[in-house]
Amino acid sequence: NAGVTQTPKFQVLKTGQSMTLQCAQDMNHEYMSWYRQDPGMGLRLIHYSVGAGITDQGEVPNGYNVSRSTTEDFPLRLLSAAPSQTSVYFCASSYSGGSTGELFFGEGSRLTVL
Amino acid sequence: ILNVEQSPQSLHVQEGDSTNFTCSFPSSNFYALHWYRWETAKSPEALFVMTLNGDEKKKGRISATLNTKEGYSYLYIKGSQPEDSATYLCAFTPGGADGLTFGKGTHLIIQP
């Protein structure tokens, strides 16, 4: 029972490089989202999707891009990495939208941008 | 930007004692309030999702109450055990939103 799977778990980038954080879920959840966790701050919503082909911005979307071509996958792309994007990233999905459905989280991806 | 406040920031409790902590959120346009438990080196796991004023939910020794009119929720742990050591997160969503705003969490340490 895999749940929400994120890859990679750790990544080091140089400023200006691009990369994609992968997220896949096997629970047939329509809702998927990306959060970032920074020291001294709560989890902050980057982007979310309420179904295949539909994405929308969260609280901190700048510098990130997402797409949702299938129900299972929701990759997060960093277009040109900056040190301010050093963070731990969590993908989360829900069976019942992004408000009343409990979120199921992946294990997190720790990204360092030098 | 919505303001979700949790207090205290951290808490040390003796094993066997009961404890509680608070989540405050905007009282207007309330839709749902979530509680999550986040153990070190793991991912956050859902405890409760609450939607109605006066709601009380319970899971084992952990329970939660909700007051949407005054904008707060309490999480209670009865007879704390070492395995209760974790960070407890609350998250709020207003009507019409499709995402949660999280508080910074209460870091609970149970001392044997």
Side-chain angles (χ1 to χ4, degrees):
Chain A
N1 196 6
V4 179
T5 303
Q6 290 182 232
T7 56
K9 288 188 169 45
F10 301 93
Q11 183 72 50
V12 179
L13 288 179
K14 294 181 180 177
T15 297
Q17 288 184 317
S18 62
M19 77 155 299
T20 299
L21 298 176
Q22 302 290 346
C23 176
Q25 53 90 11
D26 62 357
M27 298 174 283
N28 203 31
H29 288 172
E30 291 295 329
Y31 181 87
M32 296 186 74
S33 56
W34 278 101
Y35 286 85
R36 59 179 289 173
Q37 170 71 53
D38 300 296
M41 306 194 75
L43 290 162
R44 291 184 294 168
L45 182 63
I46 305 170
H47 284 285
Y48 65 93
S49 168
V50 298
I54 306 169
T55 63
D56 209 342
Q57 296 180 350
E59 182 187 348
V60 288
N62 292 342
Y64 306 95
N65 201 3
V66 291
S67 59
R68 184 93 181 271
S69 55
T70 67
T71 299
E72 293 78 21
D73 300 299
F74 191 44
L76 179 73
R77 296 182 187 85
L78 280 70
L79 308 172
S80 177
S84 61
Q85 293 179 303
T86 294
S87 188
V88 181
Y89 292 86
F90 287 93
C91 178
S93 70
S94 170
Y95 58 86
S96 177
S99 51
T100 57
E102 63 182 63
L103 292 178
F104 292 79
F105 285 85
E107 293 184 339
S109 297
R110 183 176 293 274
L111 175 67
T112 301
V113 183
L114 302 175
Chain B
I1 296 177
L2 300 169
N3 199 24
V4 179
E5 299 284 345
Q6 291 189 246
S7 62
Q9 198 170 0
S10 66
L11 191 55
H12 289 70
V13 174
Q14 285 296 123
E15 181 177 354
D17 288 351
S18 296
T19 187
N20 65 84
F21 27 93
T22 308
C23 173
S24 301
F25 51 85
S27 56
S28 61
N29 197 25
F30 173 86
Y31 197 69
L33 191 284
H34 296 222
W35 282 100
Y36 291 83
R37 175 167 57 198
W38 192 356
E39 296 178 64
T40 303
K42 293 188 177 181
S43 308
E45 291 185 349
L47 287 171
F48 307 113
V49 178
M50 308 173 80
T51 57
L52 297 175
N53 184 45
D55 237 357
E56 289 190 30
K57 299 225 172 181
K58 188 175 180 181
K59 185 181 287 190
R61 294 178 292 99
I62 303 177
S63 60
T65 61
L66 178 66
N67 184 324
T68 63
K69 296 189 186 308
E70 296 182 43
Y72 65 84
S73 175
Y74 293 136
L75 191 79
Y76 300 90
I77 302 178
K78 187 177 178 181
S80 303
Q81 299 297 310
E83 59 265 29
D84 295 328
S85 294
T87 296
Y88 291 82
L89 304 174
C90 75
F92 164 80
T93 186
D98 278 311
L100 300 177
T101 298
F102 281 83
K104 295 178 184 179
T106 291
H107 184 49
L108 176 65
I109 299 168
I110 306 301
Q111 296 170 322

